[in-house]
């Protein structure tokens, strides 16, 4: 095993494992990419590194500048981690609607937090709009760089590497890939890699059924962190996915708990929702096919909430 020059070099190259106990006999095989093997326990490490290093290459981010972002937690933790290694100050706009563990992780890496109050910890368009507005206000100050994850195409390139890893690990044999959509960078990155490799997989965008904007054009509230922003993410190109479907939030929670008990995969709420969607696709495709999804982050980030009570 090689010695990594810095902790940033440990991002990516995460394991892909087959689910063995929770997939019915007559269903397709289901595989899950364990992104919690990244340094901060989340796939957002890929995005954070790409957004910062691409800005450095363009010269829009220079030493001594302060990085600004709004985030539900994992992006903030990842950016705080990358900023700590590279020596940038980092200011975060977040909310009490998100897991305390994520907020404290950002603080541990040295980030300065501004919290926007939520309505009973619910995540909806109004909350995200308020967070964006505050981030824009801070970013108007001198010597700042707003990574602006919702519109930053650099994040797609960061997640494209995940798609390339999946193709290599599956030897190009993937019948369907599904992922819950927040900024849509993962879906766009993985789908781009699949298209370039001529991997003809069905791509499915997942969202909470209580906020089915992509699948039904309807807004709503939910408690699944990091996804379902209540409107079409600017990065999302409909040409890069075949279907959008809502997954019941409680089913996602039940699936996350089942994954931990039966498969030893300890992940968060969106990972449970992803796997619930993958199990639906596996049932529809049937035996002999292969479905891939993603465990976005570690369950350690959710121990303060009600997911594992």
């Amino acid at each position: 095993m090689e010695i990594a020059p810095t902790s940033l070099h440990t991002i990516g190259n995460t394991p892909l494992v087959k689910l063995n106990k929770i997939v019915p006999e007559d269903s397709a095989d289901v595989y899950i990419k364990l992104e919690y093997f990244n340094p901060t326990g989340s796939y957002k490490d890929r995005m954070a590194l790409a957004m910062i290093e691409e800005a450095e290459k363009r010269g829009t981010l220079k030493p001594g500048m302060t990085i600004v972002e709004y985030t539900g937690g994992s992006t903030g933790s990842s950016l705080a981690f990358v900023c700590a290694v590279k020596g940038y100050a980092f200011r975060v706009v977040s909310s009490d609607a998100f897991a305390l563990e994520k907020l404290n992780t950002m603080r541990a890496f040295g980030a300065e937090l501004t919290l926007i109050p939520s309505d009973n910890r619910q995540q909806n368009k109004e909350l995200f709009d308020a967070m964006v507005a505050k981030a824009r206000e801070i970013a108007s100050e001198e010597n700042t760089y707003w990574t602006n994850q919702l519109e930053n195409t650099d994040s797609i390139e960061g997640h494209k590497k995940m798609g390339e890893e999946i193709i290599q690990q599956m030897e190009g044999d993937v019948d369907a890939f599904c992922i819950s959509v927040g900024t849509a960078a993962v879906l766009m990155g993985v789908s781009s890699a699949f298209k370039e490799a001529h991997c003809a997989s069905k791509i499915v965008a997942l969202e909470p059924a209580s906020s089915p904007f992509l699948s039904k054009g309807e807004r709503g509230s939910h408690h699944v962190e990091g996804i379902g922003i209540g409107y079409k993410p600017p990065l999302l190109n409909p040409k890069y996915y075949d279907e959008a479907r809502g997954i019941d939030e409680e089913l996602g929670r039940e699936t996350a708990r089942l994954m931990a008990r039966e498969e030893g995969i300890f992940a968060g709420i969106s990972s449970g929702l992803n796997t619930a969607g993958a199990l639906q696709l596996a049932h529809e495709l049937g035996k002999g096919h292969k479905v891939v999804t993603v465990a976005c982050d570690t369950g350690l980030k959710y121990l303060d909430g009600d997911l594992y009570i």
Side-chain angles (χ1 to χ4, degrees), residues 51-288:
M51 290 194 297
I52 290 178
E53 291 197 334
E54 291 304 311
E56 289 175 330
K57 291 175 187 176
R58 289 191 298 269
T60 51
L61 175 60
K62 299 179 177 66
M65 295 181 71
T66 295
I67 292 172
V68 180
E69 187 55 277
Y70 64 94
T71 167
S74 286
T75 297
S77 299
S78 297
L79 280 169
F81 156 62
V82 177
C83 286
V85 177
K86 286 181 170 285
Y88 295 106
F90 180 41
R91 294 183 65 181
V92 184
V93 178
S94 194
S95 172
D96 61 349
F98 305 108
L100 182 62
E101 291 93 338
K102 294 182 179 180
L103 301 179
N104 286 339
T105 298
M106 289 184 265
R107 293 187 177 101
F109 283 120
E112 177 186 340
L113 271 67
T114 298
L115 297 182
I116 305 298
S118 66
D119 179 12
N120 195 30
R121 300 193 70 178
Q122 292 191 92
Q123 297 165 45
N124 50 38
K125 183 178 184 298
E126 290 73 24
L127 176 61
F128 284 107
D129 285 347
M131 291 167 60
V132 171
K134 187 62 179 179
R136 183 175 287 112
E137 176 188 326
I138 295 172
S140 67
E141 299 176 11
E142 286 188 24
N143 210 35
T144 61
Y145 177 74
W146 185 13
T147 47
N148 195 8
Q149 61 170 319
L150 202 63
E151 299 183 14
N152 193 330
T153 56
D154 293 336
S155 61
I156 295 175
E157 287 303 308
H159 287 301
K160 189 174 178 182
K161 293 178 182 178
M162 186 197 302
E164 293 167 351
E165 290 172 20
I166 291 172
I167 291 167
Q168 182 180 27
Q169 289 165 317
M170 295 293 294
E171 298 182 343
D173 187 10
V174 181
D175 295 292
F177 174 81
C178 63
I179 187 71
S180 50
V181 172
T183 67
V186 179
L187 183 148
M188 292 296 297
V190 172
S191 183
S192 296
F194 280 20
K195 286 182 180 295
E196 288 185 12
H198 305 289
C199 183
S201 305
K202 180 177 182 178
I203 307 294
V204 179
L206 304 177
E207 60 185 354
S210 59
S211 185
F213 187 82
L214 300 179
S215 55
K216 297 182 179 180
E218 301 172 3
R219 293 193 176 100
S221 297
H222 63 90
H223 296 86
V224 185
E225 297 183 19
I227 67 171
I229 61 176
Y231 53 95
K232 178 183 171 294
L235 296 179
L236 184 62
N237 185 336
K239 294 180 180 179
Y240 283 78
Y241 68 96
D242 302 293
E243 177 193 345
R245 67 170 69 184
I247 303 296
D248 181 75
E249 181 178 335
E250 187 52 40
L251 175 61
R253 291 171 179 271
E254 292 172 1
T255 304
R257 291 188 283 265
L258 188 64
M259 289 162 60
R261 292 195 305 267
E262 299 294 331
E263 302 281 358
I265 294 174
F266 187 40
I269 300 170
S270 60
S271 304
L273 191 142
N274 288 344
T275 305
L279 291 171
Q280 287 185 8
L281 287 169
H283 174 73
E284 294 163 14
L285 292 173
K287 203 170 183 65

Side-chain angles (χ1 to χ4, degrees), residues 23-52:
V23 182
E25 276 290 323
D26 59 351
S27 291
D29 292 334
V30 176
Y31 299 81
I32 187 163
K33 184 81 162 153
L34 303 185
E35 284 293 293
Y36 54 67
F37 274 76
N38 282 301
T40 74
S42 165
Y43 61 7
K44 297 291 189 177
D45 289 354
R46 298 178 185 266
M47 179 175 74
L49 184 64
M51 290 194 297
I52 290 178

